[in-house]
Amino acid sequence: MSTTQILFWFLSILAIFSAIMVVASKNPIHSVLWLIAVFFAISGHYILLNAQFLAIVNLIVYAGAIMVLFLFVIMLMNLNADTEPQKNKWLKIAGVIAGGALLLVFVAALKNADLKSQIAQVNKGDIGLISNLGFALFHDYVAPFEISSVLFLSAMIGAVVIGKKE
Amino acid sequence: MPINYYIFLSVTLFCIGVTGVLTRRNAIIIFMCIELMLNAVNLLLIAFSKMHHLALAAVDANAGINAQIFVFFIMVVAAAEVSVGLAIIVMMYRNTHSVDVNFLNRLKH
């Protein structure tokens, strides 16, 4: 078993365990911290796939900015105690069964797919490097890049308008 | 790495996110599970981009770069979505003094 395979399995198990803990933990602060662990594991996968730019962007945008925003909102609402009221147990079991059934459907549909010969290239290939991605972004995708700034502006105005006290 | 492994990993993460949305009632945790599903899809897109790159590297040196640009734009949209969504959750907390989504059943009556 090569180092790449060991890293793949380690990161996969870390991601799945942390994702389960996101759903299972009672305290919202713990959920946020476990979600940061999931994002670190997924960034590790990106580095394994040699998509280094997206790994760093994932860390900065998701684990850095978005999760701090979540922590900030939880702190502002003083939700760090377990404030979720007692709920219907059957509803929870039904949710778990529905999610498991969806997983079962996906696995059953993909189990016999003819993908055995398809290999995802790891450790090699330079399409994920910042020079190539930057060239493609500012050469072929300039218009979407500029339009995304309008999207950010509208999101900012929307957040201010929604959050404003009337 | 065979692409199967990445597909099953992404499907598992996605289904954990779906389960979280179905079982939890805290609006912030539901939102975090949606982020988890987005990340599962991003991981699958990058795995497919590297698969495509390996298959077509001899023809086109930049094959598969579109998927990575696409993931970049998904991250851009997700950042905008999170800011608006958290503003909505804050507004909901201000009106109901709770983030339990079951309090939001006024349309039922």
Side-chain angles (χ1 to χ4, degrees):
Chain A
M1 205 181 224
S2 66
T3 314
T4 306
Q5 279 175 315
I6 293 170
L7 278 174
F8 175 85
W9 289 112
F10 173 72
L11 290 171
S12 302
I13 290 167
L14 178 67
I16 291 173
F17 176 73
S18 305
I20 290 172
M21 288 307 290
V22 170
V23 178
S25 49
K26 289 278 173 204
N27 193 332
I29 298 266
H30 292 169
S31 283
V32 171
L33 296 178
W34 281 115
L35 194 59
I36 291 175
V38 176
F39 289 156
F40 269 87
I42 288 176
S43 282
H45 273 295
Y46 290 169
I47 291 173
L48 267 188
L49 286 164
N50 216 10
Q52 296 161 4
F53 174 66
L54 286 172
I56 297 299
V57 167
N58 197 41
L59 279 187
I60 292 173
V61 173
Y62 271 107
I66 292 180
M67 286 298 111
V68 168
L69 213 58
F70 273 102
L71 278 178
F72 221 72
V73 169
I74 290 172
M75 186 193 77
L76 282 175
M77 294 177 184
N78 203 9
L79 289 177
N80 50 3
D82 177 22
T83 51
E84 201 158 324
Q86 200 60 41
K87 66 179 108 174
N88 194 353
K89 196 177 175 188
W90 291 105
L91 214 61
K92 208 184 229 179
I93 294 172
V96 172
I97 288 174
L102 182 66
L103 180 64
L104 196 70
V105 168
F106 275 134
V107 170
L110 292 166
K111 188 163 57 71
N112 293 323
D114 187 22
L115 292 165
K116 293 279 186 290
S117 58
Q118 301 288 344
I119 304 290
Q121 190 182 32
V122 287
N123 288 331
K124 286 195 293 292
D126 50 0
I127 55 168
L129 303 186
I130 192 164
S131 59
N132 292 323
L133 269 180
F135 184 77
L137 189 62
F138 290 112
H139 194 259
D140 300 330
Y141 293 92
V142 171
F145 184 76
E146 297 291 341
I147 290 169
S148 69
S149 68
V150 179
L151 175 74
F152 268 126
L153 185 67
S154 58
M156 191 183 78
I157 294 171
V160 169
V161 168
I162 292 170
K164 194 177 60 178
K165 268 209 173 85
E166 59 273 347
Chain B
M1 248 338 128
I3 194 73
N4 283 30
Y5 295 171
Y6 283 105
I7 292 174
F8 288 128
L9 173 64
S10 297
V11 162
T12 311
L13 286 176
F14 189 88
C15 289
I16 291 170
V18 170
T19 310
V21 171
L22 290 175
T23 52
R24 299 304 298 259
R25 299 199 317 198
N26 189 333
I28 292 179
I29 292 179
I30 289 176
F31 207 40
M32 277 160 43
C33 289
I34 292 171
E35 295 301 313
L36 187 63
M37 290 192 268
L38 269 172
N39 266 279
V41 173
N42 282 353
L43 177 63
L44 192 59
L45 266 174
I46 292 187
F48 275 137
S49 110
K50 296 297 285 189
M51 181 189 97
H52 191 65
H53 179 69
L54 185 66
L56 289 180
V59 185
D60 181 8
N62 272 338
I65 204 165
N66 299 326
Q68 306 216 355
I69 299 279
F70 195 47
V71 169
F72 180 71
F73 281 116
I74 290 175
M75 285 177 181
V76 166
V77 173
E81 171 232 333
V82 164
S83 66
V84 177
L86 283 176
I88 291 174
I89 290 176
V90 168
M91 189 190 69
M92 166 188 162
Y93 182 74
R94 206 183 283 151
N95 286 334
T96 64
H97 295 285
S98 164
V99 288
D100 194 330
V101 290
N102 274 25
F103 281 117
L104 298 178
N105 55 4
R106 286 179 204 154
L107 280 180
K108 204 163 73 177
H109 302 303

